[in-house]
Amino acid sequence: MERWEYSTIKIKLKGFSGGILETEDFDYELNKLGEQGWELVSCFSTNGANGYGREAIAVFKRKK
């Protein structure tokens, strides 16, 4: 039976009301985890005021 472990990161979105993702920072975090064997399985943003996102959340998995 395969076993998995999971990791979650949060990246704050920029802008007055949020909603702007700094892709260089986000890519850096994704690549750092990818080098450690983590695979991205989901990515979504949290809701803030007026429908703008506040955080980008990325969920990763890798075999134990």
Side-chain angles (χ1 to χ4, degrees):
M1 172 191 234
E2 289 185 321
R3 294 187 180 262
W4 301 92
E5 61 181 324
Y6 295 87
S7 181
T8 303
I9 62 168
K10 293 180 186 179
I11 302 290
K12 295 279 186 200
L13 300 179
K14 310 284 186 192
F16 179 73
S17 297
I20 300 171
L21 177 64
E22 294 289 338
T23 56
E24 282 186 23
D25 296 340
F26 195 56
D27 288 349
Y28 174 79
E29 294 297 327
L30 295 177
N31 287 322
K32 188 168 66 171
L33 286 166
E35 289 173 2
Q36 298 171 20
W38 293 98
E39 177 183 3
L40 179 66
V41 292
S42 183
C43 187
F44 54 93
S45 66
T46 59
N47 290 330
N50 301 319
Y52 287 101
R54 301 305 260 166
E55 298 173 317
I57 299 174
V59 180
F60 298 82
K61 73 176 184 179
R62 71 177 174 187
K63 289 184 183 179
K64 278 189 158 188

Short mmCIF file of all heavy atoms in Angstrom, two decimals:
data_model
loop_
_atom_site.label_atom_id
_atom_site.label_comp_id
_atom_site.label_asym_id
_atom_site.label_seq_id
_atom_site.Cartn_x
_atom_site.Cartn_y
_atom_site.Cartn_z
N MET A 1 0.83 -1.18 0.00
CA MET A 1 0.00 0.00 0.00
C MET A 1 0.89 1.25 0.00
O MET A 1 1.79 1.38 0.81
CB MET A 1 -0.90 0.00 1.24
CG MET A 1 -1.65 1.26 1.42
SD MET A 1 -2.43 1.31 3.04
CE MET A 1 -4.08 1.64 2.58
N GLU A 2 0.62 2.16 -0.93
CA GLU A 2 1.39 3.41 -0.98
C GLU A 2 0.96 4.34 0.14
O GLU A 2 -0.21 4.41 0.49
CB GLU A 2 1.18 4.11 -2.32
CG GLU A 2 1.83 3.43 -3.48
CD GLU A 2 1.68 4.23 -4.76
OE1 GLU A 2 0.61 4.83 -4.96
OE2 GLU A 2 2.64 4.22 -5.53
N ARG A 3 1.94 5.03 0.68
CA ARG A 3 1.66 6.02 1.72
C ARG A 3 2.18 7.37 1.24
O ARG A 3 3.21 7.46 0.60
CB ARG A 3 2.33 5.63 3.03
CG ARG A 3 1.74 4.36 3.60
CD ARG A 3 2.31 4.11 4.98
NE ARG A 3 1.74 2.90 5.52
CZ ARG A 3 0.72 2.87 6.36
NH1 ARG A 3 0.17 3.99 6.76
NH2 ARG A 3 0.25 1.74 6.81
N TRP A 4 1.43 8.41 1.57
CA TRP A 4 1.76 9.76 1.12
C TRP A 4 1.89 10.69 2.32
O TRP A 4 1.27 10.48 3.35
CB TRP A 4 0.65 10.30 0.21
CG TRP A 4 0.41 9.47 -0.99
CD1 TRP A 4 -0.49 8.45 -1.12
CD2 TRP A 4 1.10 9.53 -2.24
NE1 TRP A 4 -0.42 7.89 -2.37
CE2 TRP A 4 0.55 8.56 -3.09
CE3 TRP A 4 2.11 10.34 -2.74
CZ2 TRP A 4 0.98 8.35 -4.39
CZ3 TRP A 4 2.54 10.15 -4.03
CH2 TRP A 4 1.98 9.16 -4.85
N GLU A 5 2.70 11.71 2.16
CA GLU A 5 2.72 12.80 3.12
C GLU A 5 2.38 14.07 2.36
O GLU A 5 2.57 14.15 1.15
CB GLU A 5 4.08 12.91 3.83
CG GLU A 5 5.26 13.18 2.93
CD GLU A 5 6.56 13.26 3.71
OE1 GLU A 5 6.56 13.77 4.85
OE2 GLU A 5 7.58 12.80 3.18
N TYR A 6 1.85 15.06 3.06
CA TYR A 6 1.35 16.27 2.42
C TYR A 6 1.99 17.51 3.05
O TYR A 6 2.36 17.50 4.22
CB TYR A 6 -0.17 16.35 2.55
CG TYR A 6 -0.87 15.25 1.81
CD1 TYR A 6 -1.10 14.01 2.42
CD2 TYR A 6 -1.25 15.40 0.49
CE1 TYR A 6 -1.71 12.98 1.73
CE2 TYR A 6 -1.86 14.37 -0.20
CZ TYR A 6 -2.09 13.16 0.42
OH TYR A 6 -2.68 12.14 -0.26
N SER A 7 2.09 18.55 2.25
CA SER A 7 2.60 19.84 2.72
C SER A 7 1.77 20.93 2.07
O SER A 7 1.35 20.82 0.92
CB SER A 7 4.07 19.99 2.32
OG SER A 7 4.59 21.21 2.78
N THR A 8 1.52 21.99 2.83
CA THR A 8 0.73 23.11 2.34
C THR A 8 1.51 24.40 2.55
O THR A 8 2.11 24.60 3.60
CB THR A 8 -0.61 23.21 3.10
OG1 THR A 8 -1.31 21.98 2.95
CG2 THR A 8 -1.47 24.34 2.59
N ILE A 9 1.51 25.27 1.52
CA ILE A 9 2.13 26.59 1.69
C ILE A 9 1.09 27.66 1.39
O ILE A 9 0.14 27.43 0.65
CB ILE A 9 3.36 26.78 0.77
CG1 ILE A 9 3.00 26.71 -0.71
CG2 ILE A 9 4.47 25.81 1.12
CD1 ILE A 9 4.10 27.18 -1.64
N LYS A 10 1.28 28.81 2.01
CA LYS A 10 0.43 29.98 1.77
C LYS A 10 1.33 31.12 1.29
O LYS A 10 2.37 31.38 1.88
CB LYS A 10 -0.27 30.42 3.04
CG LYS A 10 -1.28 29.45 3.58
CD LYS A 10 -1.90 30.03 4.84
CE LYS A 10 -2.82 29.03 5.50
NZ LYS A 10 -3.41 29.59 6.73
N ILE A 11 0.89 31.80 0.25
CA ILE A 11 1.59 32.97 -0.27
C ILE A 11 0.62 34.14 -0.20
O ILE A 11 -0.48 34.07 -0.75
CB ILE A 11 2.05 32.77 -1.73
CG1 ILE A 11 2.96 31.55 -1.87
CG2 ILE A 11 2.69 34.02 -2.29
CD1 ILE A 11 4.33 31.71 -1.25
N LYS A 12 1.01 35.19 0.49
CA LYS A 12 0.16 36.39 0.58
C LYS A 12 0.06 37.05 -0.79
O LYS A 12 1.06 37.19 -1.49
CB LYS A 12 0.75 37.40 1.57
CG LYS A 12 0.77 36.92 2.99
CD LYS A 12 -0.57 37.11 3.61
CE LYS A 12 -0.47 36.76 5.10
NZ LYS A 12 -1.73 36.46 5.67
N LEU A 13 -1.15 37.44 -1.17
CA LEU A 13 -1.36 38.15 -2.42
C LEU A 13 -1.16 39.64 -2.18
O LEU A 13 -1.46 40.15 -1.10
CB LEU A 13 -2.75 37.86 -2.97
CG LEU A 13 -3.03 36.38 -3.27
CD1 LEU A 13 -4.45 36.20 -3.79
CD2 LEU A 13 -2.03 35.82 -4.26
N LYS A 14 -0.64 40.33 -3.17
CA LYS A 14 -0.31 41.76 -3.05
C LYS A 14 -1.47 42.62 -3.54
O LYS A 14 -2.46 42.13 -4.03
CB LYS A 14 0.95 42.07 -3.87
CG LYS A 14 2.12 41.16 -3.62
CD LYS A 14 2.80 41.48 -2.34
CE LYS A 14 4.04 40.59 -2.26
NZ LYS A 14 4.68 40.55 -1.04
N GLY A 15 -1.29 43.91 -3.43
CA GLY A 15 -2.28 44.87 -3.89
C GLY A 15 -3.09 45.42 -2.74
O GLY A 15 -3.14 44.84 -1.66
N PHE A 16 -3.72 46.56 -2.96
CA PHE A 16 -4.51 47.23 -1.93
C PHE A 16 -5.58 46.31 -1.35
O PHE A 16 -5.76 46.22 -0.15
CB PHE A 16 -5.13 48.51 -2.48
CG PHE A 16 -5.97 49.24 -1.49
CD1 PHE A 16 -5.38 49.93 -0.44
CD2 PHE A 16 -7.35 49.23 -1.59
CE1 PHE A 16 -6.15 50.59 0.50
CE2 PHE A 16 -8.13 49.89 -0.66
CZ PHE A 16 -7.53 50.59 0.39
N SER A 17 -6.29 45.63 -2.21
CA SER A 17 -7.34 44.70 -1.78
C SER A 17 -6.94 43.25 -1.95
O SER A 17 -7.75 42.36 -1.78
CB SER A 17 -8.62 44.95 -2.57
OG SER A 17 -9.11 46.24 -2.33
N GLY A 18 -5.68 43.01 -2.31
CA GLY A 18 -5.24 41.64 -2.58
C GLY A 18 -5.49 41.29 -4.03
O GLY A 18 -5.83 42.14 -4.86
N GLY A 19 -5.33 40.04 -4.36
CA GLY A 19 -5.65 39.57 -5.70
C GLY A 19 -4.51 39.56 -6.68
O GLY A 19 -4.66 39.07 -7.79
N ILE A 20 -3.33 40.11 -6.31
CA ILE A 20 -2.20 40.13 -7.23
C ILE A 20 -1.15 39.14 -6.74
O ILE A 20 -0.63 39.26 -5.64
CB ILE A 20 -1.59 41.55 -7.32
CG1 ILE A 20 -2.64 42.53 -7.82
CG2 ILE A 20 -0.37 41.54 -8.22
CD1 ILE A 20 -2.21 43.99 -7.74
N LEU A 21 -0.84 38.17 -7.59
CA LEU A 21 0.13 37.14 -7.25
C LEU A 21 1.50 37.50 -7.84
O LEU A 21 1.61 37.70 -9.05
CB LEU A 21 -0.32 35.78 -7.80
CG LEU A 21 0.62 34.61 -7.58
CD1 LEU A 21 0.78 34.31 -6.09
CD2 LEU A 21 0.11 33.37 -8.31
N GLU A 22 2.50 37.61 -6.97
CA GLU A 22 3.88 37.82 -7.44
C GLU A 22 4.40 36.47 -7.92
O GLU A 22 4.78 35.62 -7.12
CB GLU A 22 4.75 38.37 -6.30
CG GLU A 22 4.36 39.74 -5.83
CD GLU A 22 4.70 40.83 -6.84
OE1 GLU A 22 5.59 40.61 -7.70
OE2 GLU A 22 4.07 41.89 -6.78
N THR A 23 4.39 36.25 -9.22
CA THR A 23 4.71 34.93 -9.76
C THR A 23 6.15 34.51 -9.51
O THR A 23 6.42 33.33 -9.35
CB THR A 23 4.39 34.85 -11.26
OG1 THR A 23 5.09 35.89 -11.95
CG2 THR A 23 2.90 34.98 -11.51
N GLU A 24 7.09 35.45 -9.44
CA GLU A 24 8.48 35.08 -9.16
C GLU A 24 8.60 34.44 -7.78
O GLU A 24 9.27 33.42 -7.62
CB GLU A 24 9.40 36.29 -9.25
CG GLU A 24 9.73 36.69 -10.67
CD GLU A 24 10.75 37.80 -10.72
OE1 GLU A 24 11.52 37.98 -9.75
OE2 GLU A 24 10.79 38.50 -11.74
N ASP A 25 7.97 35.04 -6.77
CA ASP A 25 8.00 34.49 -5.41
C ASP A 25 7.30 33.14 -5.37
O ASP A 25 7.78 32.20 -4.73
CB ASP A 25 7.32 35.44 -4.42
CG ASP A 25 8.03 36.77 -4.28
OD1 ASP A 25 9.24 36.85 -4.64
OD2 ASP A 25 7.39 37.72 -3.82
N PHE A 26 6.17 33.05 -6.04
CA PHE A 26 5.39 31.81 -6.04
C PHE A 26 6.16 30.70 -6.74
O PHE A 26 6.26 29.58 -6.23
CB PHE A 26 4.04 32.06 -6.72
CG PHE A 26 3.02 30.98 -6.47
CD1 PHE A 26 2.66 30.62 -5.19
CD2 PHE A 26 2.40 30.35 -7.53
CE1 PHE A 26 1.71 29.64 -4.96
CE2 PHE A 26 1.46 29.37 -7.32
CZ PHE A 26 1.11 29.02 -6.03
N ASP A 27 6.74 31.00 -7.90
CA ASP A 27 7.54 30.02 -8.63
C ASP A 27 8.72 29.54 -7.80
O ASP A 27 9.06 28.35 -7.81
CB ASP A 27 8.06 30.60 -9.95
CG ASP A 27 6.97 30.76 -10.99
OD1 ASP A 27 5.86 30.25 -10.78
OD2 ASP A 27 7.24 31.44 -12.00
N TYR A 28 9.35 30.45 -7.09
CA TYR A 28 10.49 30.08 -6.24
C TYR A 28 10.06 29.03 -5.21
O TYR A 28 10.74 28.01 -5.04
CB TYR A 28 11.06 31.32 -5.53
CG TYR A 28 12.13 30.98 -4.54
CD1 TYR A 28 13.42 30.71 -4.96
CD2 TYR A 28 11.84 30.90 -3.18
CE1 TYR A 28 14.41 30.38 -4.05
CE2 TYR A 28 12.82 30.57 -2.26
CZ TYR A 28 14.10 30.31 -2.69
OH TYR A 28 15.07 29.97 -1.78
N GLU A 29 8.94 29.27 -4.53
CA GLU A 29 8.45 28.32 -3.52
C GLU A 29 8.07 26.98 -4.15
O GLU A 29 8.37 25.92 -3.61
CB GLU A 29 7.27 28.91 -2.75
CG GLU A 29 7.61 30.10 -1.91
CD GLU A 29 8.60 29.79 -0.79
OE1 GLU A 29 8.58 28.66 -0.25
OE2 GLU A 29 9.40 30.67 -0.46
N LEU A 30 7.39 27.02 -5.31
CA LEU A 30 7.00 25.78 -5.99
C LEU A 30 8.23 24.98 -6.41
O LEU A 30 8.29 23.76 -6.20
CB LEU A 30 6.16 26.10 -7.23
CG LEU A 30 4.79 26.74 -7.00
CD1 LEU A 30 4.13 27.05 -8.35
CD2 LEU A 30 3.90 25.90 -6.14
N ASN A 31 9.22 25.64 -6.98
CA ASN A 31 10.44 24.96 -7.42
C ASN A 31 11.23 24.40 -6.25
O ASN A 31 11.81 23.31 -6.35
CB ASN A 31 11.30 25.89 -8.27
CG ASN A 31 10.72 26.11 -9.64
OD1 ASN A 31 10.17 25.20 -10.24
ND2 ASN A 31 10.82 27.33 -10.12
N LYS A 32 11.27 25.13 -5.15
CA LYS A 32 11.99 24.66 -3.96
C LYS A 32 11.40 23.34 -3.47
O LYS A 32 12.13 22.39 -3.19
CB LYS A 32 11.93 25.73 -2.87
CG LYS A 32 12.80 25.44 -1.67
CD LYS A 32 12.92 26.66 -0.76
CE LYS A 32 11.60 26.99 -0.12
NZ LYS A 32 11.72 28.03 0.93
N LEU A 33 10.09 23.25 -3.40
CA LEU A 33 9.44 22.01 -2.96
C LEU A 33 9.57 20.92 -4.03
O LEU A 33 9.75 19.75 -3.69
CB LEU A 33 7.98 22.26 -2.61
CG LEU A 33 7.78 22.99 -1.28
CD1 LEU A 33 6.35 23.49 -1.14
CD2 LEU A 33 8.14 22.09 -0.11
N GLY A 34 9.49 21.29 -5.29
CA GLY A 34 9.66 20.31 -6.37
C GLY A 34 11.02 19.64 -6.32
O GLY A 34 11.14 18.44 -6.56
N GLU A 35 12.05 20.40 -5.98
CA GLU A 35 13.41 19.83 -5.86
C GLU A 35 13.51 18.83 -4.72
O GLU A 35 14.38 17.97 -4.73
CB GLU A 35 14.42 20.96 -5.67
CG GLU A 35 14.64 21.79 -6.91
CD GLU A 35 15.53 23.00 -6.67
OE1 GLU A 35 16.00 23.20 -5.53
OE2 GLU A 35 15.72 23.77 -7.62
N GLN A 36 12.61 18.95 -3.74
CA GLN A 36 12.60 18.04 -2.60
C GLN A 36 11.69 16.84 -2.83
O GLN A 36 11.45 16.04 -1.92
CB GLN A 36 12.16 18.79 -1.34
CG GLN A 36 13.08 19.90 -0.94
CD GLN A 36 12.50 20.75 0.17
OE1 GLN A 36 11.60 20.34 0.90
NE2 GLN A 36 13.00 21.96 0.30
N GLY A 37 11.16 16.72 -4.05
CA GLY A 37 10.33 15.57 -4.39
C GLY A 37 8.84 15.76 -4.20
O GLY A 37 8.05 14.83 -4.36
N TRP A 38 8.41 17.00 -3.86
CA TRP A 38 6.99 17.27 -3.67
C TRP A 38 6.32 17.51 -5.01
O TRP A 38 6.89 18.14 -5.89
CB TRP A 38 6.79 18.49 -2.78
CG TRP A 38 7.23 18.29 -1.37
CD1 TRP A 38 8.42 18.66 -0.84
CD2 TRP A 38 6.51 17.66 -0.32
NE1 TRP A 38 8.48 18.31 0.49
CE2 TRP A 38 7.31 17.69 0.83
CE3 TRP A 38 5.25 17.07 -0.24
CZ2 TRP A 38 6.89 17.16 2.05
CZ3 TRP A 38 4.84 16.55 0.97
CH2 TRP A 38 5.65 16.59 2.10
N GLU A 39 5.09 17.01 -5.15
CA GLU A 39 4.29 17.20 -6.37
C GLU A 39 3.07 18.05 -6.04
O GLU A 39 2.35 17.77 -5.07
CB GLU A 39 3.83 15.84 -6.89
CG GLU A 39 2.94 15.93 -8.10
CD GLU A 39 2.43 14.57 -8.55
OE1 GLU A 39 2.71 13.54 -7.90
OE2 GLU A 39 1.73 14.54 -9.57
N LEU A 40 2.84 19.11 -6.82
CA LEU A 40 1.68 19.98 -6.62
C LEU A 40 0.41 19.22 -6.98
O LEU A 40 0.31 18.65 -8.07
CB LEU A 40 1.82 21.23 -7.49
CG LEU A 40 0.68 22.24 -7.40
CD1 LEU A 40 0.63 22.88 -6.02
CD2 LEU A 40 0.87 23.31 -8.46
N VAL A 41 -0.57 19.20 -6.06
CA VAL A 41 -1.83 18.51 -6.33
C VAL A 41 -3.02 19.45 -6.38
O VAL A 41 -4.04 19.12 -6.98
CB VAL A 41 -2.11 17.36 -5.33
CG1 VAL A 41 -1.11 16.24 -5.52
CG2 VAL A 41 -2.11 17.84 -3.91
N SER A 42 -2.89 20.63 -5.76
CA SER A 42 -4.00 21.58 -5.78
C SER A 42 -3.48 22.98 -5.48
O SER A 42 -2.51 23.14 -4.75
CB SER A 42 -5.05 21.19 -4.73
OG SER A 42 -6.15 22.07 -4.78
N CYS A 43 -4.15 23.97 -6.06
CA CYS A 43 -3.79 25.36 -5.81
C CYS A 43 -5.07 26.18 -5.88
O CYS A 43 -5.86 26.02 -6.81
CB CYS A 43 -2.77 25.83 -6.84
SG CYS A 43 -2.13 27.46 -6.48
N PHE A 44 -5.28 27.05 -4.90
CA PHE A 44 -6.49 27.88 -4.87
C PHE A 44 -6.21 29.14 -4.06
O PHE A 44 -5.19 29.24 -3.40
CB PHE A 44 -7.68 27.09 -4.28
CG PHE A 44 -7.39 26.49 -2.93
CD1 PHE A 44 -7.71 27.17 -1.77
CD2 PHE A 44 -6.79 25.24 -2.82
CE1 PHE A 44 -7.44 26.62 -0.53
CE2 PHE A 44 -6.53 24.68 -1.58
CZ PHE A 44 -6.85 25.38 -0.43
N SER A 45 -7.12 30.10 -4.13
CA SER A 45 -6.96 31.32 -3.34
C SER A 45 -8.09 31.43 -2.34
O SER A 45 -9.18 30.89 -2.54
CB SER A 45 -6.93 32.56 -4.25
OG SER A 45 -8.17 32.75 -4.88
N THR A 46 -7.80 32.14 -1.25
CA THR A 46 -8.84 32.40 -0.25
C THR A 46 -9.55 33.70 -0.63
O THR A 46 -8.98 34.56 -1.28
CB THR A 46 -8.24 32.53 1.16
OG1 THR A 46 -7.29 33.61 1.16
CG2 THR A 46 -7.56 31.24 1.58
N ASN A 47 -10.79 33.83 -0.23
CA ASN A 47 -11.58 35.02 -0.55
C ASN A 47 -11.34 36.12 0.46
O ASN A 47 -11.22 35.88 1.65
CB ASN A 47 -13.08 34.69 -0.59
CG ASN A 47 -13.43 33.83 -1.77
OD1 ASN A 47 -12.80 33.90 -2.81
ND2 ASN A 47 -14.44 33.01 -1.62
N GLY A 48 -11.30 37.34 -0.04
CA GLY A 48 -11.19 38.52 0.80
C GLY A 48 -12.34 39.46 0.47
O GLY A 48 -13.36 39.06 -0.08
N ALA A 49 -12.14 40.72 0.76
CA ALA A 49 -13.17 41.73 0.49
C ALA A 49 -13.41 41.89 -1.00
O ALA A 49 -12.49 41.79 -1.81
CB ALA A 49 -12.73 43.06 1.10
N ASN A 50 -14.64 42.12 -1.37
CA ASN A 50 -15.04 42.39 -2.75
C ASN A 50 -14.61 41.31 -3.74
O ASN A 50 -14.36 41.59 -4.90
CB ASN A 50 -14.51 43.75 -3.20
CG ASN A 50 -15.02 44.87 -2.34
OD1 ASN A 50 -16.19 44.88 -1.97
ND2 ASN A 50 -14.17 45.80 -1.99
N GLY A 51 -14.46 40.09 -3.28
CA GLY A 51 -14.13 38.98 -4.16
C GLY A 51 -12.66 38.82 -4.49
O GLY A 51 -12.28 37.92 -5.22
N TYR A 52 -11.80 39.68 -3.97
CA TYR A 52 -10.36 39.56 -4.21
C TYR A 52 -9.77 38.47 -3.33
O TYR A 52 -10.20 38.28 -2.19
CB TYR A 52 -9.64 40.88 -3.93
CG TYR A 52 -9.90 41.94 -4.97
CD1 TYR A 52 -10.81 42.94 -4.72
CD2 TYR A 52 -9.22 41.92 -6.17
CE1 TYR A 52 -11.06 43.92 -5.67
CE2 TYR A 52 -9.45 42.89 -7.13
CZ TYR A 52 -10.38 43.89 -6.87
OH TYR A 52 -10.60 44.84 -7.81
N GLY A 53 -8.76 37.78 -3.86
CA GLY A 53 -8.08 36.77 -3.07
C GLY A 53 -7.12 37.39 -2.08
O GLY A 53 -6.56 38.46 -2.33
N ARG A 54 -6.91 36.74 -0.94
CA ARG A 54 -5.97 37.22 0.07
C ARG A 54 -4.70 36.39 0.09
O ARG A 54 -3.62 36.90 0.35
CB ARG A 54 -6.61 37.21 1.46
CG ARG A 54 -7.85 38.04 1.57
CD ARG A 54 -7.63 39.46 1.15
NE ARG A 54 -7.44 40.30 2.32
CZ ARG A 54 -6.97 41.52 2.27
NH1 ARG A 54 -6.62 42.04 1.14
NH2 ARG A 54 -6.84 42.23 3.35
N GLU A 55 -4.84 35.08 -0.14
CA GLU A 55 -3.69 34.17 -0.12
C GLU A 55 -3.84 33.15 -1.24
O GLU A 55 -4.95 32.75 -1.57
CB GLU A 55 -3.63 33.39 1.20
CG GLU A 55 -3.45 34.22 2.42
CD GLU A 55 -3.58 33.38 3.68
OE1 GLU A 55 -4.49 32.54 3.77
OE2 GLU A 55 -2.77 33.58 4.59
N ALA A 56 -2.71 32.73 -1.78
CA ALA A 56 -2.69 31.57 -2.67
C ALA A 56 -2.23 30.40 -1.82
O ALA A 56 -1.24 30.51 -1.10
CB ALA A 56 -1.73 31.80 -3.84
N ILE A 57 -2.96 29.32 -1.88
CA ILE A 57 -2.62 28.13 -1.10
C ILE A 57 -2.32 26.99 -2.07
O ILE A 57 -3.09 26.73 -2.99
CB ILE A 57 -3.79 27.75 -0.16
CG1 ILE A 57 -4.04 28.91 0.81
CG2 ILE A 57 -3.49 26.45 0.57
CD1 ILE A 57 -5.24 28.74 1.68
N ALA A 58 -1.18 26.36 -1.84
CA ALA A 58 -0.76 25.25 -2.71
C ALA A 58 -0.57 24.00 -1.83
O ALA A 58 0.05 24.08 -0.78
CB ALA A 58 0.54 25.59 -3.43
N VAL A 59 -1.11 22.88 -2.28
CA VAL A 59 -1.02 21.62 -1.56
C VAL A 59 -0.16 20.66 -2.38
O VAL A 59 -0.37 20.50 -3.59
CB VAL A 59 -2.42 21.01 -1.31
CG1 VAL A 59 -2.32 19.70 -0.56
CG2 VAL A 59 -3.31 22.00 -0.59
N PHE A 60 0.79 20.02 -1.72
CA PHE A 60 1.74 19.11 -2.35
C PHE A 60 1.65 17.74 -1.67
O PHE A 60 1.23 17.63 -0.53
CB PHE A 60 3.17 19.62 -2.16
CG PHE A 60 3.43 20.93 -2.80
CD1 PHE A 60 3.07 22.11 -2.15
CD2 PHE A 60 4.03 21.02 -4.03
CE1 PHE A 60 3.32 23.34 -2.74
CE2 PHE A 60 4.29 22.23 -4.62
CZ PHE A 60 3.93 23.40 -3.97
N LYS A 61 2.11 16.71 -2.42
CA LYS A 61 2.23 15.37 -1.84
C LYS A 61 3.52 14.73 -2.34
O LYS A 61 4.06 15.12 -3.38
CB LYS A 61 1.03 14.50 -2.18
CG LYS A 61 1.01 14.03 -3.63
CD LYS A 61 -0.15 13.07 -3.86
CE LYS A 61 -0.10 12.53 -5.28
NZ LYS A 61 -1.16 11.59 -5.55
N ARG A 62 4.01 13.76 -1.57
CA ARG A 62 5.12 12.92 -2.00
C ARG A 62 5.02 11.60 -1.25
O ARG A 62 4.43 11.52 -0.17
CB ARG A 62 6.47 13.58 -1.79
CG ARG A 62 6.91 13.71 -0.35
CD ARG A 62 8.29 14.33 -0.28
NE ARG A 62 8.64 14.57 1.11
CZ ARG A 62 9.72 15.21 1.52
NH1 ARG A 62 10.57 15.69 0.62
NH2 ARG A 62 9.98 15.39 2.78
N LYS A 63 5.61 10.58 -1.84
CA LYS A 63 5.58 9.27 -1.21
C LYS A 63 6.45 9.29 0.04
O LYS A 63 7.49 9.93 0.07
CB LYS A 63 6.09 8.18 -2.16
CG LYS A 63 5.13 7.90 -3.28
CD LYS A 63 5.63 6.76 -4.15
CE LYS A 63 4.68 6.57 -5.30
NZ LYS A 63 5.11 5.49 -6.18
N LYS A 64 5.98 8.56 1.06
CA LYS A 64 6.76 8.44 2.30
C LYS A 64 7.89 7.47 2.11
O LYS A 64 7.83 6.55 1.39
CB LYS A 64 5.87 7.94 3.44
CG LYS A 64 5.07 9.06 4.06
CD LYS A 64 4.41 8.53 5.30
CE LYS A 64 4.07 9.68 6.20
NZ LYS A 64 3.60 9.26 7.48
#
